[in-house]
Amino acid sequence: MSVVLKEIIRKSIHLCSGFIPLLLFNFYWPTIVLLVFAVIFYSICELLRMKGFVIPLVSKITEAAARKRDEDKFVLGPVTLVCGILVAALVLPYDAARVGIFALAFGDGCASLVGKTIGKIKIPHMGGKTLEGCLACCIAVFIATFFVTNNALLSLFIGLFTMVIEVLPLFDFDNLIIPVSVGSLFLVLTKLCPLFY
């Protein structure tokens, strides 16, 4: 399977996590419980897969989405993705968590898809990240944040901040850092800075 196809499969999971704020708004605790269950279930399936057991559907999706660096290892991305969303949902107010989750879903997702498909300008010392991917991240987060806030300046600031985090070579740990740090920055800016009220 091609690298681009694997990335599309992997990032489609990221993009689908953009629906989680809607579920949190309407069914907060059931969604939290399902996310915890998903992490536990996936982790068990992944441990079994590493021991040679094939878990229908889960093993196939994991193998189809796994990067070259994940071969013969526990694929950590889904765990950090869900844990980042869980932490944001549990510690931040709803709008801040929503902005953080959207930054992860759309910013990180678009950055990787654009970077892998049309990215040409590599950023030195950043693990293969591209300028095109970074710009896609910023634009996607700007649009998602504007959808929440209707504030262009705040949305631009959040988009630029997310782009800076996304460009760092954090591997799968950006899934943990992006929703919490972006949501926290959103909370601080909207509470303390009159430009962003």
Side-chain angles (χ1 to χ4, degrees), residues 57-69:
L57 190 61
V58 178
S59 294
K60 290 290 183 198
I61 292 171
T62 301
E63 288 171 11
R67 292 173 167 159
K68 185 110 175 112
R69 71 174 189 233

Side-chain angles (χ1 to χ4, degrees), residues 4-5 26 32 130 156 168:
V4 172
L5 183 56
N26 290 298
I32 295 293
T130 65
L156 179 61
L168 298 173

Side-chain angles (χ1 to χ4, degrees), residues 44-179:
I44 292 168
C45 290
E46 188 62 359
L47 289 169
L48 290 171
R49 183 186 69 81
M50 291 181 64
K51 292 188 179 290
F53 295 96
V54 176
I55 310 301
L57 190 61
V58 178
S59 294
K60 290 290 183 198
I61 292 171
T62 301
E63 288 171 11
R67 292 173 167 159
K68 185 110 175 112
R69 71 174 189 233
D70 293 327
E71 285 180 7
D72 302 323
K73 296 180 186 167
F74 186 102
V75 179
L76 193 58
V79 173
T80 58
L81 177 79
V82 175
C83 288
I85 291 168
L86 271 170
V87 172
L90 289 168
V91 303
L92 296 170
Y94 176 71
D95 276 344
R98 181 164 59 151
V99 167
I101 294 166
F102 283 167
L104 176 63
F106 304 122
D108 189 45
C110 289
S112 190
L113 289 174
V114 169
K116 293 276 194 248
T117 56
I118 63 169
K120 300 275 188 265
I121 304 168
K122 301 272 189 200
I123 300 171
H125 313 296
M126 293 300 162
K129 306 269 177 116
T130 65
L131 179 62
E132 296 87 348
C134 290
L135 292 174
C137 172
C138 185
I139 292 166
V141 175
F142 172 84
I143 292 168
T145 305
F146 189 78
F147 172 77
V148 174
T149 66
N150 207 27
N151 183 321
L153 184 60
L154 174 60
S155 301
L156 179 61
F157 202 83
I158 295 294
L160 291 169
F161 178 77
T162 306
M163 179 182 72
V164 168
I165 295 172
E166 201 284 324
V167 76
L168 298 173
L170 301 170
F171 305 104
D172 289 325
F173 293 100
D174 63 345
N175 292 342
L176 286 169
I177 295 166
I178 288 173

